[in-house]
Amino acid sequence: MRPSPESLSVLPLVIGVVLSPSTVDAAAFRHAGQPAGLIDTANSDDLYRGARGSALPGLTWLRDSISEIIFGRPSTKHSDSTSPSVSLSPYRDDVVVRFNVTKPTDQVVLAQAIKAKHLDVWASTPQFVDIRLEESQLRPLLRLIPSSMQKQWSVLIPDLEEAVRATFPTKGETTEYGDAAESLDAVHTKGNIFFHDYQPLSVITSWMALMETMFPSIAKMESIGDSYEGRPIHSFRIGDHSGDNANNGTGKTILVTGGLHGREWISTSTVTYLLWSIITAYGKESMVTKLLKHFDIIFIPVVNPDGYDYTWKTDRLWRKTRQQTKVSWCHGFDLDQAFGSVSGQTNVQVDPCSESYGGDKPFQAVEATRLADWGRNQTENGVKFVGVLDLHSYSQQILFPYTSTCDEDPPNRENLEELGVGLAKAIRLSSGNFYTVSSACEGTNTRQDAANEATGGSAIDWFYHELYSRYSYQVKLRDTGIYGFLLPRSQIIPTGEEMLNALKYFGDFLLGNNGIESISKAKERTSHDKDRVDLK
């Protein structure tokens, strides 16, 4: 939902009076008597269950009340009617089907058929390929593939129109907050009201600005540059720069990005959920508090604001940016193919109408250039990107470099696999969901997928290779195909929670521990220490 002009007009007055920096200092949120910066590595439940407490429930209630002024009250009982601003008619006759592939030759033949029919590939893994198409196109497609594959398919989403409708916010809100204790429970058990729905770009921007105002001692919101259509690409830095920890915003940094593809709404919602969870855990959870004393975490929820905004106003399933290409009727670049490749080869995808078109050469996409220029500028000013988590959907995969080539391994592949398996385990212990771990090339069939000819580099390749971010991952979030890009709103918080556990594992690993595992095997990890972060 959008904040009304009236609600926004009172925001500065309310915040200025009751949420001044002296009132809402992050240190005030610490549990009484709990020393900051200590980790009980023996108590993995305390570390990774994400228990939320509050020393100041009244202040939390006040914060929630201000959120309600801007975003409205939460709803746990939604009506069935929705009012998306996009037309649903383009999806009326569409379905999403899955082809199971067992041989590399099958993959290649299917990819060629997909390219010939200009179909929309939703997912491509070594086990399956998911395709969106009009139902009437299915039979002609089957005629182009071997008879052995013609029975190896199934319909994942039979009613795409309804699936699209269900992702938009609902009309009507029926749940009321009770007293302060109920409000606190709603925020810390069910999640902040912001996460009951997917949110449009304007609301995300207002919400980030509010978070900065509410946590002034540890938060800073900035723009890394403007998109092709002139929208700011906002970043949100969290870190403890007080006292001996002060580093003027520079130093060891973890980068968390989302929204490189417009239609992947769950990636954007998950980045904002992680932002919210980390900033509200500071001073309350010892591991998070210690992490923020040694690292900044920068969140960029929407790297592709033009594409994201377009999915809310015109085409819910738009993937690329909105930049003009050399073909007037084909807009947009695939940001996952728009960076410089590790091999130095230029992009061979020549069709601007392709969903995987990253440009005729690296960094033609404005947003890729903005992110790279910002990253270089940060490093020139003392920032060291020690880790990158680039969130996407879907297929529940944890992917590490390289994306653009299967012929070369990253020098620390063993360490990347070790941490990747740990992230997957943290998620599994949190929710029971299984995430696979592999290189991005192996996990997405770069070598075999003839429909996706592009060999341009991804963001994780570029940060790994150019800025020496030794632990760079692309995480493809829920699910494994039942909903695909159209994950229901009810899964926003569960997806955020499992990634929060993964982020905590990631941070604990960088702090020199071994995630949720016992640290008694430290001697076995001595050979890996050179790739870890020196906190001295």
Side-chain angles (χ1 to χ4, degrees):
M1 64 193 75
R2 296 176 183 272
S4 67
E6 294 79 9
S7 66
L8 289 176
S9 67
V10 303
L11 178 60
L13 175 62
V14 175
I15 291 178
V17 173
V18 298
L19 291 180
S20 64
S22 61
T23 304
V24 190
D25 192 283
F29 288 95
R30 293 198 181 102
H31 283 306
Q34 179 180 353
L38 297 181
I39 282 186
D40 180 8
T41 54
N43 190 348
S44 60
D45 289 342
D46 177 68
L47 209 59
Y48 292 102
R49 283 180 182 169
R52 311 283 170 80
S54 177
L56 299 172
L59 196 55
T60 304
W61 171 84
L62 181 60
R63 182 173 64 211
D64 301 340
S65 299
I66 293 175
S67 295
E68 289 176 16
I69 292 174
I70 301 172
F71 303 111
R73 295 182 181 272
S75 173
T76 58
K77 187 176 181 181
H78 297 290
S79 65
D80 292 333
S81 59
T82 61
S83 56
S85 58
V86 305
S87 171
L88 299 178
S89 57
Y91 320 114
R92 188 158 297 154
D93 300 319
D94 286 5
V95 295
V96 177
V97 298
R98 167 166 294 177
F99 284 87
N100 296 312
V101 292
T102 57
K103 298 182 297 183
T105 52
D106 290 345
Q107 184 89 29
V108 172
V109 172
L110 179 60
Q112 291 171 343
I114 291 168
K115 181 180 179 182
K117 294 291 183 180
H118 295 93
L119 302 179
D120 181 9
V121 177
W122 277 29
S124 179
T125 77
Q127 293 77 38
F128 61 82
V129 177
D130 296 346
I131 308 164
R132 170 198 169 193
L133 73 171
E134 289 186 16
E135 195 168 7
S136 61
Q137 292 179 300
L138 184 54
R139 190 176 297 276
L141 176 63
L142 293 175
R143 288 198 290 264
L144 296 178
I145 61 178
S147 58
S148 59
M149 294 186 64
Q150 292 181 4
K151 295 183 179 180
Q152 298 182 25
W153 63 275
S154 59
V155 177
L156 294 178
I157 304 178
D159 188 346
L160 191 62
E161 179 182 10
E162 182 54 37
V164 167
R165 182 197 306 274
T167 61
F168 284 89
T170 55
K171 288 181 180 178
E173 298 169 348
T174 58
T175 298
E176 297 286 327
Y177 273 145
D179 57 23
E182 291 176 357
S183 173
L184 183 65
D185 178 71
V187 170
H188 292 316
T189 300
K190 299 178 181 178
N192 180 268
I193 59 175
F194 182 76
F195 303 104
H196 284 241
D197 281 309
Y198 293 109
Q199 304 293 349
L201 185 63
S202 59
V203 174
I204 292 171
T205 301
S206 299
W207 178 84
M208 290 172 68
L210 177 61
M211 292 300 102
E212 181 188 31
T213 305
M214 291 166 62
F215 299 93
S217 65
I218 60 172
K220 185 174 180 61
M221 179 181 174
E222 297 178 310
S223 171
I224 71 169
D226 289 347
S227 68
Y228 172 75
E229 293 182 340
R231 295 178 176 86
I233 304 170
H234 288 113
S235 68
F236 196 98
R237 182 191 301 267
I238 305 175
D240 182 352
H241 302 150
S242 62
D244 295 337
N245 303 305
N247 58 10
N248 297 317
T250 65
K252 303 175 185 71
T253 299
I254 300 168
L255 176 63
V256 183
T257 60
L260 273 78
H261 294 141
R263 63 190 177 187
E264 297 173 10
W265 287 6
I266 191 61
S267 72
T268 291
S269 290
T270 302
V271 175
T272 56
Y273 189 89
L274 295 176
L275 186 164
W276 163 259
S277 299
I278 293 297
I279 204 170
T280 56
Y282 173 77
K284 294 186 241 179
E285 294 185 35
S286 59
M287 181 269 164
V288 172
T289 303
K290 182 175 181 179
L291 180 65
L292 293 179
K293 288 180 181 297
H294 291 290
F295 298 89
D296 283 359
I297 307 179
I298 299 178
F299 299 91
I300 306 180
V302 192
V303 178
N304 176 15
D306 297 348
Y308 186 78
D309 191 63
Y310 193 76
T311 63
W312 279 85
K313 297 177 178 177
T314 306
D315 180 358
R316 171 64 181 87
L317 295 175
W318 185 261
R319 168 183 166 90
K320 300 188 288 183
T321 68
R322 290 297 302 160
Q323 186 173 340
Q324 180 63 59
T325 68
K326 61 186 179 183
V327 177
S328 60
W329 59 86
C330 294
H331 288 77
F333 293 86
D334 176 7
L335 291 183
D336 209 27
Q337 304 283 355
F339 294 78
S341 66
V342 174
S343 63
Q345 296 176 350
T346 57
N347 199 310
V348 300
Q349 173 57 272
V350 296
D351 182 7
C353 300
S354 168
E355 293 287 356
S356 62
Y357 178 68
D360 296 327
K361 59 183 179 181
F363 296 109
Q364 278 190 287
V366 168
E367 293 79 6
T369 300
R370 297 288 183 266
L371 183 60
D373 288 348
W374 170 81
R376 288 192 190 96
N377 181 265
Q378 292 289 302
T379 57
E380 289 170 1
N381 285 279
V383 169
K384 180 180 181 181
F385 290 103
V386 297
V388 174
L389 295 174
D390 180 27
L391 305 189
H392 289 256
S393 71
Y394 61 96
S395 65
Q396 295 180 195
Q397 294 175 293
I398 297 173
L399 307 172
F400 54 82
Y402 295 117
T403 304
S404 58
T405 178
C406 292
D407 298 325
E408 181 179 351
D409 281 335
N412 65 329
R413 174 169 179 144
E414 181 181 349
N415 306 126
L416 287 164
E417 287 180 319
E418 175 194 3
L419 179 52
V421 169
L423 297 174
K425 183 174 182 180
I427 291 171
R428 186 171 71 253
L429 292 177
S430 168
S431 64
N433 280 324
F434 286 83
Y435 279 59
T436 61
V437 181
S438 70
S439 75
C441 172
E442 295 163 345
T444 55
N445 285 318
T446 299
R447 179 182 293 171
Q448 300 164 359
D449 190 353
N452 293 321
E453 296 173 342
T455 58
S458 65
I460 63 166
D461 282 9
W462 190 84
F463 272 90
Y464 178 87
H465 192 262
E466 298 296 327
L467 299 188
Y468 308 106
S469 177
R470 308 319 291 169
Y471 293 99
S472 295
Y473 296 89
Q474 183 179 107
V475 182
K476 295 196 174 184
L477 303 167
R478 296 187 184 186
D479 58 4
T480 55
I482 296 175
Y483 298 103
F485 299 122
L486 304 172
L487 202 66
R489 302 182 306 275
S490 61
Q491 294 201 37
I492 294 173
I493 292 174
T495 304
E497 278 294 314
E498 66 186 21
M499 270 310 300
L500 176 60
N501 279 276
L503 178 58
K504 288 180 178 180
Y505 187 104
F506 192 78
D508 199 35
F509 183 93
L510 293 176
L511 283 168
N513 300 319
N514 195 23
I516 57 176
E517 299 294 328
S518 168
I519 61 172
S520 62
K521 297 183 179 180
K523 292 182 179 179
E524 298 178 14
R525 303 199 316 272
T526 302
S527 62
H528 303 329
D529 286 347
K530 63 180 180 298
D531 293 302
R532 301 269 177 97
V533 178
D534 182 10
L535 298 179
K536 296 179 181 180

